[in-house]
Amino acid sequence: MKNYTITVNGNVYDVIVEEKGAGAAPAAPKAAPAVSAAAPKAAPAPKASGSGKIQVKAGAAGKVFQIPASVGQSVQPGDAVVIIEAMKMEIPVVAPEAGTIASIDVAVGDSVEAGAVLATLN
């Protein structure tokens, strides 16, 4: 058996592949470069640097499910700014402190990595 770590749409999976024949083992490594080629597409998600001083960062990797806040909106600590879908759960990403939304740097459907800047506040 061989162990592989595979990343798909920002989600990391540990996979154990059981080898039953000589042709089975090379199939898994060929899939990994295809996943690696897809990974750079997810990286540009936090493309906008934002104009705010306070960064709102993703706590987990996933897909942007909803953006309940809008630029110019005032938020309090704990108010949901972006909602991420990860592992079939909706995870709100909240404002770390009070402020006004200066930029929203993602769109619904974007894949994001943990720690990615999703929005900025002033």
Side-chain angles (χ1 to χ4, degrees):
M1 289 211 240
K2 290 191 177 188
N3 294 328
Y4 295 97
T5 300
I6 300 172
T7 304
V8 178
N9 292 334
N11 296 319
V12 178
Y13 300 95
D14 289 324
V15 180
I16 299 172
V17 178
E18 185 177 344
E19 297 179 48
K20 290 191 176 195
K30 289 181 184 176
V35 172
S36 297
K41 292 179 185 175
K47 56 189 170 269
S49 61
S51 58
K53 298 175 184 175
I54 304 162
Q55 295 181 335
V56 179
K57 295 182 179 182
K63 275 194 173 180
V64 177
F65 178 72
Q66 185 180 22
I67 304 174
S70 59
V71 174
Q73 177 180 342
S74 294
V75 291
Q76 296 299 315
D79 288 351
V81 177
V82 176
I83 298 175
I84 293 176
E85 182 181 29
M87 297 172 31
K88 297 186 180 185
M89 296 186 310
E90 295 175 15
I91 303 168
V93 179
V94 300
E97 55 188 84
T100 303
I101 306 284
S103 69
I104 296 180
D105 303 330
V106 293
V108 173
D110 285 355
S111 292
V112 295
E113 297 291 327
V117 177
L118 307 177
T120 59
L121 308 175
N122 282 326

